[in-house]
Amino acid sequence: MSKHDLLLELGLEELPARFVTDAMNQLSLKTTNWLKEKNISFGEVNVFSTPRRLAVQIEGVAAKQEDIEEEAKGPAKKIALDGDGNWSKAAVGFSRGQGASVDDIFFKEIGGIEYAHVQKFIKGKETKELLTDLREIITGLTFPKNMRWGSQELRFARPIKWMIALYGQEVIPFSITGVQTGKETRGHRFLGSDQVINHSSEYEKSLLSQFVIASPVKRKEAILTQLHHIEEENKWNIPIDKDLLEEVTNLVEYPTALFGKFEEEYLSLPEEVLVTTMKEHQRYFPVKNAEGELLPYFVTVRNGDHNHIENVARGNEKVLRARLSDAAFFYNEDQKLVISDNVKKLDKIVFHEELGSTGDKVRRMTSLSQILAERFSVSSEEKTHVLRAAEICKFDLVTHMVYEFPELQGIIGEKYARAFGEAEEVAAAVNEHYMPRHAEDSAPASTAGAIVALADKLDTIAGFFSIGVIPTGSQDPYALRRQASGIVQILLAKKWTISLDELFDLALAPFNEIDQNKVKNEMLAFFKMRVKHVLDEKKIRYDIIDAVLGSGQMELTAIMEKAAVLEDAAKEESFKGIMEAFARVQNISKKGTGAAVNPELFKNKEEQELYDQYMQVKDDYEANTAAGEYHAAFAALRSLQPFIQSYFNETMVMAEDEVLKNNRLGQMKQLAALIESFANMDAVIVK
């Protein structure tokens, strides 16, 4: 079978850097999945992207679909034939639907029943007849934000400017928003020119001749090589922030690294201010010496060649100088502030129109922080730090510096709090209460920071849930999922034994005009998904996750440790028998009403032995659970298994005698309650 290469390039106005990588991967995945669905074989897949283009190049795409030969299953024989042995309407309809006749029907036995079958043959179509479907792949790409342009109806990230769709040397004809596919691509906006691509194998080389490095991997490698060269040449250390590197890679088509300098006087500003100004606002790499001290230099990456590089450096120096001058002014102005005055100004900042001002939020946080400090039995000195940190934790929101650089909230607060004489623990907590800021961030290290962080995040989630703002699908405008994950991370890091039920009751207390039980249940369901994600990341089996989350226990440390215990136990041969015994107890207990157990009604020794073992295990289990010894608690539970097995071998629970039946169901109910307090064992799958 002949094969040809496939090239699909989508040319656009400059995409935002954060859109590029995901869009490239989507294009590749959607195209290869389409080929698989169409039974078209293919070879190696190469992907390309720049700010102005997304492309996929697939080698060895078969010239036609693979022929399909398969057996189609129809009705059972007793339906396919009538009483006289003639073909029924069902058989005739089945064979016709498969492009065959009743003469082609044969019978095969499946599970002891004979079914009608026909041999089905589907001849593969020519690939080039199908490739116009690639239009839907392009229009099906999704982006965080879309736009319309001109009179076009298509919503897309940026206007489409050109398209290449080549199969071998043939153009695949289709158009989108009036742009027709062809063979012509565009080079670098300023250094290159249009280029005709006659075959996909020419694509990368042709673009390079027009100052476009189409491969993001090669572009990133080129940037790193140039950065390392500058490092070695100047005896500098250039810290490589992977997110910044990814962004810069997606901002340029032909990278050339260069460096500039700024006045040493700006080094008196906090390092975070300088680094944020360079990285977040200018996409510059900061420079340090061997001791890790910031130097008055920066490195940037130009989208072009080395021509007039000195002018480019001077231009970047001028821009950065203006930025740093502003930062210095804001920083000096902020030195005149009084923390208490800033706290009062928080009453003028709207947190949310239905939830009041940021000042209102801080007062709720302070009250909740005090309750949590008492609940976690912190020392009187720590409690003082907690309350002060809660009171002032948002004061930097009204500083000039945070207004100009929102990324520095908390970080500037810590520096200013320390400079204005606050205790070290309080200053640290002002910063830490925003932690964890993202998935890779750590939980607050200090007790004060952790408690205020919990209060802040709990108040935010409780507040928004109380007004019906609950994340759905991809919509989470207030980052409540991240806040919830942060709460989970803090509780696990600090090993604080408090249930989510209790936390939510405390957080919802100020919102007294709502149905608190309804809102709390919504919050519990929301948090269960976050806990499930954490357990999944720890490689816990999905059924064990369902089991521990189904116990009704919502104390996070206990959930994690119980899941680990069951995960370990599942590797043992005895696990199957234990789970089956527990599940049998749970299932039959559902028929009971929870009547009290009367040992005098027992009719055999197995009932008495199971009861005696239960009484002994119950005390042992509860003691170990209270001490957080979950391996020992499960060991106590599993000792019940042989007694449960003997019980069921000799005892009919659903006896005809109503009194006897209720007593036995009561015993099962009693036993099931103990088992289910560890986990819902009925959810565990055993083979």
Side-chain angles (χ1 to χ4, degrees), residues 245-461:
L245 178 62
E246 177 77 10
E247 184 174 9
V248 170
T249 300
N250 289 332
L251 283 171
V252 299
E253 293 196 313
Y254 194 77
T256 299
L258 62 134
F259 67 88
K261 66 180 299 182
F262 57 90
E263 288 76 6
E264 288 193 30
E265 64 188 71
Y266 291 122
L267 291 177
S268 62
L269 291 170
E271 181 177 316
E272 292 85 355
V273 173
L274 294 171
V275 171
T276 299
T277 302
M278 286 187 270
K279 286 171 58 176
E280 302 295 335
H281 292 255
Q282 299 304 127
R283 311 303 187 262
Y284 297 164
F285 293 89
V287 175
K288 295 186 176 183
N289 61 20
E291 288 72 42
E293 298 168 330
L294 208 60
L295 295 175
Y297 297 94
F298 64 90
V299 177
T300 186
V301 178
R302 176 193 189 184
N303 184 24
D305 58 14
H306 284 85
N307 289 330
H308 310 295
I309 201 86
E310 300 82 5
N311 292 340
V312 177
R314 283 195 295 272
N316 279 280
E317 287 173 350
K318 184 178 179 180
V319 172
L320 182 60
R321 188 177 297 116
R323 279 280 187 184
L324 293 179
S325 177
D326 288 345
F329 172 78
F330 296 138
Y331 182 73
N332 291 328
E333 284 296 301
D334 283 341
Q335 304 315 300
K336 304 171 187 176
L337 65 81
V338 177
I339 289 179
S340 58
D341 291 343
N342 276 32
V343 171
K344 291 175 184 175
K345 291 176 184 176
L346 296 175
D347 284 326
K348 297 179 181 178
I349 299 177
V350 176
F351 173 65
H352 187 277
E353 59 185 9
E354 294 185 59
L355 298 173
S357 68
T358 301
D360 294 326
K361 176 176 175 57
V362 168
R363 284 184 283 275
R364 292 195 301 268
M365 285 172 56
T366 303
S367 175
L368 182 54
S369 294
Q370 181 174 4
I371 295 169
L372 291 175
E374 292 169 356
R375 174 65 176 75
F376 298 141
S377 303
V378 305
S379 67
S380 58
E381 184 181 15
E382 284 179 321
K383 190 184 296 182
T384 301
H385 295 326
V386 167
L387 292 180
R388 181 58 179 166
E391 288 169 359
I392 71 168
C393 66
K394 303 290 185 185
F395 85 93
D396 63 340
L397 295 182
V398 293
T399 62
H400 292 89
M401 191 62 77
V402 171
Y403 182 82
E404 181 69 12
F405 303 104
E407 307 91 341
L408 293 178
Q409 64 179 10
I411 297 169
I412 283 296
E414 177 181 3
K415 291 193 174 294
Y416 286 2
R418 189 177 290 114
F420 298 143
E422 296 291 339
E424 179 61 32
E425 294 83 355
V426 172
V430 169
N431 182 14
E432 288 182 328
H433 94 279
Y434 287 106
M435 297 169 68
R437 287 179 168 89
H438 48 79
E440 288 76 37
D441 199 10
S442 56
S446 71
T447 298
I451 288 176
V452 179
L454 274 181
D456 185 16
K457 293 169 174 56
L458 281 166
D459 177 76
T460 298
I461 294 172

Side-chain angles (χ1 to χ4, degrees), residues 187-188 191-192 206-213 253-254 303-305:
H188 189 281
L191 302 175
S206 293
L207 281 175
L208 185 57
S209 72
Q210 299 305 315
F211 300 93
V212 174
I213 300 176
E253 293 196 313
Y254 194 77
N303 184 24
D305 58 14

Side-chain angles (χ1 to χ4, degrees), residues 213 219-232 238 254-258 299-302 304 306:
I213 300 176
R219 214 160 52 249
K220 187 178 291 184
E221 288 172 353
I223 293 170
L224 284 172
T225 299
Q226 294 175 48
L227 293 180
H228 292 324
H229 178 71
I230 292 173
E231 270 185 322
E232 292 171 5
I238 304 174
Y254 194 77
T256 299
L258 62 134
V299 177
T300 186
V301 178
R302 176 193 189 184
H306 284 85

